[in-house]
Amino acid sequence: ATVDVNLSRQFKFGPKVTPTDQRYLLVLNVRAGNLFNHTNPLGLNGVLASPFFGRANAAGPARRIEFGARLNF
């Protein structure tokens, strides 16, 4: 199993254009893939004569954390 998480937060600032809206919008986000860093085996060996028959020969990607920012004006 793989657990991915995405969190974001919006900040409005600047002079008001209308009573309900701000001029600028800053969005900050954090995304984590494979949050618990669990090994996910891939690509099982299917050669019957191989001593590694039925064992994984690859794994999914490790934990990855990304940060981002977006400014709307």
Side-chain angles (χ1 to χ4, degrees):
T2 301
V3 177
D4 296 340
V5 176
N6 187 20
L7 302 172
S8 65
R9 175 79 169 131
Q10 295 182 1
F11 299 96
K12 295 180 181 180
F13 61 96
K16 290 188 176 187
V17 176
T18 65
T20 60
D21 197 16
Q22 298 288 335
R23 181 146 176 91
Y24 303 107
L25 176 66
L26 176 66
V27 180
L28 301 175
N29 65 3
V30 177
R31 183 187 182 285
N34 195 4
L35 183 64
F36 300 124
N37 206 24
H38 183 269
T39 302
N40 296 308
L42 303 172
L44 297 176
N45 189 338
V47 179
L48 291 173
S50 172
F52 301 109
F53 176 74
R55 295 179 60 189
N57 57 12
R63 178 186 306 134
R64 180 177 177 129
I65 300 175
E66 301 173 0
F67 299 93
R70 181 175 66 193
L71 177 64
N72 294 337
F73 55 93

